Amino acid sequence: MDETAHGTRDRRGHYVPKDPIESAPIYEMPPHPKRVLSWLVGHDGYLFPWNAALFAIAAGIWVLLTPPMETMATLSPGWILYLLARNAVLITLFFGAFHLRLYMKQKQGTAFKYNPKFPEKAGQRGFLFGSQTRENVFWTLCSGVPIWTAYEVLMLWLFASGKLPWLSFADSPVWFILFMALIPIWREFHFYCIHRLIHWGPFYRWIHKLHHNNVNPGPWSSLSMHPVEHALYFSVVLIHVILPSHPLHALFSLHHAAFGSLIGHIGFDKVVTGDRAAMDTHAYSHYLHHKFFEVNYGDGLVPLDRVFGTFHDGTPEGDRAMDARRRRRMQSQRQAG
């Protein structure tokens, strides 16, 4: 597939998609029902391919790889360690598959890769073990997976022990489906809030800088975070303590956060699957955040970046707007000083 039909390369060789980043059409006024419907169920919209795939992962894990609720009604090392091992294996297979194909075997070379350099060839100073990938794997498996699993253990135990009431599909099919459909929106809203928090000066230096060392992110960068950031990130699941739900809702929230973190860090705009076929990643918005630090704290599903003036649509106009904001901030700081 020819990348020049979909974007260009800037003078540094970085890939820039042709189309600007857009927010979800559900916020447009006046409403455009046809556009909203196309976005909801189209081949490259809200449901497909990513959210549908992430729900399938959560549902498969719930049905096939989760212990019986009777077992989880009592906290015991056996099933807790099983969940820890299960999550470690699944995330290794998921991240590892993309890393192997795109970064180790480099099956599509640099086609559609935002930064033409591969991390292991771009300088490794400042990373644990002298390697971005090895550091990313370490933080993912030694902090991310245990903290994710701790939240999962808590939620499943609360449901299984009767401390949280279940809401089954039979009890309220409309709410069951609606809540499931809204989980990705809730996750982005939660992510935006905690993301802005850890960009505050001291929190950024103490916590979030570890993740932002990945200026040129890859699949394993997705969950490479400080433990405090992991604790905040996976707290998205605590909504299910407040609102009536089912264990599958909670698993979807956690697994959407875990597996879905890959989307913004894959490093490629498209994953080529054939001579004329490719899967869009929608990773450019978050890639720009890693590149510029102060834009796109969310990914556009919830338009808070537009509301608070931190949106970058990937165009030269977006660059100019970002530079203007920086100049205004620096001027304000000089005046205050």
Side-chain angles (χ1 to χ4, degrees), residues 11-253:
R11 53 191 173 84
R12 298 173 59 197
H14 290 214
Y15 178 76
V16 180
K18 178 177 62 177
D19 298 324
I21 300 167
E22 295 183 347
S23 297
I26 52 177
Y27 308 105
E28 292 179 355
M29 290 295 166
H32 295 82
K34 288 185 178 179
R35 190 175 177 201
V36 170
L37 181 62
S38 176
W39 171 78
L40 281 172
V41 299
H43 74 282
D44 185 30
Y46 182 67
L47 293 179
F48 303 102
W50 289 107
N51 284 329
L54 295 171
F55 174 75
I57 290 172
I61 290 171
W62 167 247
V63 172
L64 302 174
L65 298 175
T66 300
M69 297 305 282
E70 299 79 19
T71 300
M72 296 186 293
T74 302
L75 291 172
S76 61
W79 69 269
I80 294 173
L81 292 175
Y82 165 77
L83 291 186
L84 179 66
R86 182 202 70 185
N87 291 343
V89 170
L90 290 176
I91 210 69
T92 298
L93 292 174
F94 190 70
F95 288 177
F98 285 93
H99 182 77
L100 177 65
R101 186 178 191 278
L102 297 173
Y103 286 81
M104 295 180 68
K105 294 189 174 182
Q106 298 180 15
K107 286 292 188 179
Q108 64 185 69
T110 59
F112 300 104
K113 191 174 188 304
Y114 301 124
N115 187 324
K117 295 181 180 179
F118 286 87
E120 296 301 326
K121 298 178 181 179
Q124 301 293 295
R125 290 189 302 174
F127 289 103
L128 288 175
F129 319 115
S131 163
Q132 176 176 329
T133 300
R134 286 196 287 270
E135 177 182 284
N136 290 172
V137 172
F138 171 81
W139 287 113
T140 297
L141 296 182
C142 296
S143 174
V145 170
I147 290 172
W148 154 27
T149 303
Y151 275 113
E152 188 170 345
V153 167
L154 172 65
M155 296 305 300
L156 290 174
W157 172 71
L158 288 174
F159 278 115
S161 62
K163 293 178 173 58
L164 281 181
W166 286 38
L167 177 77
S168 69
F169 179 82
D171 293 330
S172 180
V174 174
W175 173 246
F176 189 99
I177 294 172
L178 181 63
F179 195 7
M180 197 71 75
L182 292 176
I183 282 173
I185 295 177
W186 158 246
R187 192 176 86 76
E188 181 160 328
F189 174 79
H190 173 272
F191 175 69
Y192 180 92
C193 294
I194 65 110
H195 199 185
R196 288 305 301 261
L197 173 66
I198 57 180
H199 264 267
W200 177 62
F203 287 175
Y204 180 83
R205 293 191 297 272
W206 301 334
I207 300 169
H208 195 44
K209 188 178 184 298
L210 188 153
H211 182 69
H212 265 289
N213 287 339
N214 300 287
V215 177
N216 182 14
W220 280 104
S221 305
S222 309
L223 286 179
S224 182
M225 305 174 188
H226 189 282
V228 173
E229 184 171 354
H230 282 131
L232 291 170
Y233 180 71
F234 285 111
S235 69
V236 65
V237 76
L238 296 180
I239 190 71
H240 301 289
V241 175
I242 302 169
L243 297 180
S245 59
H246 185 276
L248 180 56
H249 289 104
L251 288 184
F252 185 37
S253 291

